C-alpha cells in the first residue's frame, strides 16, 4: 500500500481521479480516461502532478565535484540555468537511476544544484550523495527536499501559451534551460524539459502553494497512465521497469543512453563503461511494433523469427497516436537492426513484430 501522498492528493480525489501506487506514492493514474488525456497533450496541452519525483539540492564548495563524480554526464559544463540528463551508475557501470540535473543560481557565492531522482529513490540517492561526500572529504550540503517541494509538468504544443496566461512569459527558455519565474503569483523553478515528447515545462515550487498554480491552469488534468503512453511513444525509458539495478541491471550502453556518458568526468563506473564502450555490448534495448493483433505487456517473451526466446518486453502498450501496438525490450545485438523480424508471445501466442527506430513518434 502506498504510504506517501502528494500535496494535491485531496484535489485529485475531488476530481474523481483513479489512483495507483507508484514508487510508494498514491498518485492519480487517470482523470477522464487515458486516451482523452493523451490526446490533449499531443494536440493542445495537459497538466500533470509529478510530485512523486525526488528533489535533492546539493550546494557548497564541493558540490560540483560531488555531482560530477556521481553522475555520468559533465556537470562542470553546466552554467546557471542549464539542465542536463544523466545516469547514476555503480562501479560496474550499472544504472541505479536516471536523473535531470539543474544548475541553480549560486548560494552564498557557492555552486548549487538540484537533481531529480525517480519516485521512491530520493532517500537512497540522498544517502548515496552523503556517504560519498564523507568518503571523499568534500564540503557539500545535501538536502532531500522530496515532499517539501512539489513538481508539475505542463506539456503539449500549447503549453507555453497556457503558461503565459497565468504568469511570466517563459517562451524565451531554450530546450533544457531553466530559471525562476512568477507563475500565478508563486515563484517557481521553470524548466523547459519534459517526459512526453512534446514542448512544455516542468515547474518546481514549495508544496504548500502548489495548489495555487495547479488550480490557475486551465487545461486537461492528466494522470500517470497518459504519462506512460506518451513517454513510450517518445521512446523514453522508465526507471524500475526498462532498467532496474536489482531485477534488470543495465548499463547506459545497453539502454541506448551512451550519449549521457562523458569520459572527461571521473565518475563512479567510468572504468567499466570505458571498457564496454570499446568492446561493445552483447544486448541492447530496441523498440518494436506488433504486426498482428495484440498488446505487448511487461514481462512477455521476445522470440526470434525461429522461435528461440531471446528477451523480455520491458514496456508495451497500444499507442493512442499511432494506433499500433508498440514496445521496448532487450535483445542480443544481432537482433537490433531496424526491420529485424521478432515474435512477441502474447498470452502464449507468438505475434509477428518488427524492430523499429526510436522514437516511435517524432
Amino acid at each position: 500500500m502506498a504510504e506517501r501522498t502528494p500535496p494535491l492528493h485531496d484535489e485529485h480525489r475531488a476530481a474523481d481521479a483513479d489512483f495507483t501506487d507508484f514508487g510508494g506514492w498514491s498518485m492519480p493514474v487517470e482523470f477522464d480516461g487515458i486516451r482523452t488525456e493523451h490526446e490533449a497533450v499531443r494536440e493542445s496541452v495537459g497538466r500533470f502532478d509529478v510530485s512523486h519525483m525526488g528533489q535533492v539540492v546539493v550546494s557548497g564548495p564541493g558540490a560540483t565535484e560531488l555531482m560530477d563524480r556521481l553522475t555520468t554526464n559533465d556537470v562542470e559544463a553546466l552554467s546557471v540555468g542549464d539542465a542536463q540528463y544523466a545516469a547514476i551508475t555503480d562501479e560496474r557501470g550499472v544504472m541505479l537511476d536516471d536523473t535531470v540535473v539543474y544548475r541553480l543560481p549560486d548560494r552564498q557565492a557557492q555552486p548549487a544544484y538540484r537533481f531529480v531522482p525517480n519516485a521512491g529513490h530520493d532517500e537512497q540517492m540522498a544517502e548515496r550523495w552523503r556517504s560519498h561526500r564523507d568518503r571523499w572529504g568534500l564540503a557539500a550540503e545535501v538536502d532531500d527536499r522530496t515532499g517539501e517541494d512539489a513538481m508539475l509538468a505542463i506539456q503539449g504544443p500549447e503549453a507555453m501559451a497556457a503558461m503565459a496566461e497565468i504568469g511570466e512569459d517563459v517562451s524565451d527558455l531554450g530546450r533544457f534551460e531553466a530559471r525562476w519565474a512568477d507563475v500565478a503569483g508563486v515563484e517557481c523553478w521553470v524548466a523547459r524539459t519534459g517526459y512526453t515528447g512534446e514542448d512544455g515545462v516542468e515547474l518546481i515550487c514549495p508544496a504548500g502553494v502548489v495548489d495555487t498554480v495547479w488550480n490557475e491552469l486551465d487545461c486537461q488534468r492528466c494522470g500517470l497512465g497518459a504519462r506512460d503512453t506518451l513517454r513510450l511513444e517518445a521512446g523514453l525509458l522508465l526507471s524500475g521497469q526498462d532498467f532496474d539495478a536489482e531485477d534488470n541491471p543495465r548499463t547506459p550502453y545497453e539502454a541506448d543512453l551512451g550519449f549521457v556518458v562523458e569520459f572527461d568526468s571521473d565518475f563512479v563506473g567510468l572504468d567499466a563503461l570505458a571498457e564496454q564502450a570499446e568492446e561493445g555490448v552483447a544486448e541492447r534495448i530496441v523498440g518494436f511494433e506488433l504486426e498482428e493483433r495484440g498488446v505487448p505487456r511487461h514481462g512477455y517473451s521476445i522470440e526470434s523469427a525461429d522461435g528461440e526466446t531471446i528477451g523480455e518486453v520491458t514496456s508495451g502498450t497500444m499507442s493512442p497516436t499511432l494506433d499500433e501496438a508498440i514496445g521496448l525490450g532487450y535483445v542480443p545485438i544481432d537482433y537490433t537492426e531496424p526491420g529485424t523480424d521478432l515474435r512477441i508471445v502474447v498470452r502464449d501466442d507468438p505475434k509477428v513484430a518488427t524492430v523499429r527506430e526510436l522514437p516511435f513518434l517524432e
Side-chain angles (χ1 to χ4, degrees):
M1 180 179 292
E3 296 179 350
R4 305 168 85 177
T5 57
L8 291 170
H9 197 263
D10 289 344
E11 300 271 352
H12 301 328
R13 189 177 296 283
D16 291 329
D18 292 331
F19 290 86
T20 188
D21 179 352
F22 194 92
W25 291 77
S26 176
M27 297 301 296
V29 65
E30 63 179 300
F31 292 90
D32 299 306
I34 291 175
R35 178 173 286 274
T36 296
E37 297 162 23
H38 182 109
E39 290 176 350
V41 174
R42 287 280 179 250
E43 297 169 5
S44 55
V45 58
R47 50 178 159 154
F48 300 80
D49 178 7
V50 287
S51 299
H52 59 312
M53 301 296 286
Q55 300 288 337
V56 181
V57 173
V58 183
S59 59
T64 301
E65 183 175 350
L66 184 59
M67 293 298 304
D68 209 40
R69 294 176 70 176
L70 288 176
T71 61
T72 59
N73 217 327
D74 184 8
V75 172
E76 292 190 4
L78 295 178
S79 300
V80 171
D82 287 344
Q84 183 183 74
Y85 179 54
I88 301 167
T89 52
D90 64 12
E91 288 75 6
R92 302 168 296 164
V94 167
M95 295 172 65
L96 304 176
D97 205 357
D98 63 349
T99 190
V100 172
V101 177
Y102 300 105
R103 176 71 158 87
L104 302 174
D106 287 353
R107 296 186 173 186
Q108 299 178 330
Q110 298 296 336
Y113 302 86
R114 179 187 292 266
F115 73 99
V116 181
N118 282 280
H121 289 197
D122 54 295
E123 293 178 359
Q124 173 197 2
M125 290 304 145
E127 177 54 32
R128 181 174 179 81
W129 258 245
R130 293 185 183 114
S131 63
H132 281 78
R133 172 200 61 190
D134 296 344
R135 184 186 308 172
W136 294 329
L138 297 173
E141 181 178 348
V142 179
D143 182 11
D144 183 358
R145 296 193 56 76
T146 309
E148 298 178 64
D149 291 340
M151 189 172 185
L152 305 179
I154 319 304
Q155 298 283 299
E158 298 174 10
M160 305 312 284
M163 288 292 296
E165 289 180 0
I166 64 168
E168 287 182 39
D169 182 356
V170 292
S171 60
D172 59 312
L173 285 173
R175 181 75 174 149
F176 272 70
E177 290 182 352
R179 64 178 167 84
W180 290 103
D182 182 297
V183 183
V186 174
E187 187 179 39
C188 296
W189 182 250
V190 181
R192 204 160 188 173
T193 52
Y195 191 52
T196 64
E198 294 291 339
D199 190 12
V201 295
E202 290 175 308
L203 311 176
I204 300 170
C205 67
V209 291
V210 68
D211 59 329
T212 300
V213 180
W214 177 259
N215 289 318
E216 280 293 309
L217 287 162
D218 183 19
C219 58
Q220 175 68 52
R221 298 179 181 87
C222 301
L224 297 187
R227 188 168 180 254
D228 197 55
T229 54
L230 289 158
R231 70 93 186 168
L232 187 49
E233 286 182 349
L236 301 174
L237 309 190
L238 177 61
S239 175
Q241 185 165 308
D242 294 310
F243 60 89
D244 185 288
E246 298 295 328
D247 297 330
N248 190 13
R250 296 292 177 178
T251 71
Y253 290 109
E254 292 173 320
D256 203 20
L257 298 175
F259 62 94
V260 304
V261 179
E262 178 52 66
F263 289 118
D264 288 338
S265 299
D266 185 18
F267 62 86
V268 175
L270 181 147
D271 292 343
L273 290 178
E275 183 177 338
Q276 196 169 77
E278 183 174 341
E279 296 182 355
V281 295
E283 294 186 340
R284 184 167 60 77
I285 201 165
V286 295
F288 63 81
E289 170 195 344
L290 238 61
E291 306 289 351
E292 298 181 272
R293 188 180 178 86
V295 181
R297 299 296 185 194
H298 176 80
Y300 285 6
S301 293
I302 301 175
E303 295 182 347
S304 69
D306 297 331
E308 177 188 1
T309 299
I310 57 173
E312 282 190 355
V313 176
T314 54
S315 290
T317 192
M318 176 60 72
S319 162
T321 306
L322 302 170
D323 197 27
E324 297 170 347
I326 59 174
L328 302 172
Y330 292 87
V331 295
I333 201 70
D334 289 345
Y335 296 89
T336 56
E337 189 69 23
T340 301
D341 288 336
L342 301 175
R343 301 289 183 272
I344 307 300
V345 183
V346 179
R347 298 181 179 177
D348 298 324
D349 186 9
K351 304 284 188 180
V352 176
T354 305
V355 174
R356 285 271 305 268
E357 290 271 11
L358 294 175
F360 295 104
L361 189 68
E362 292 291 345

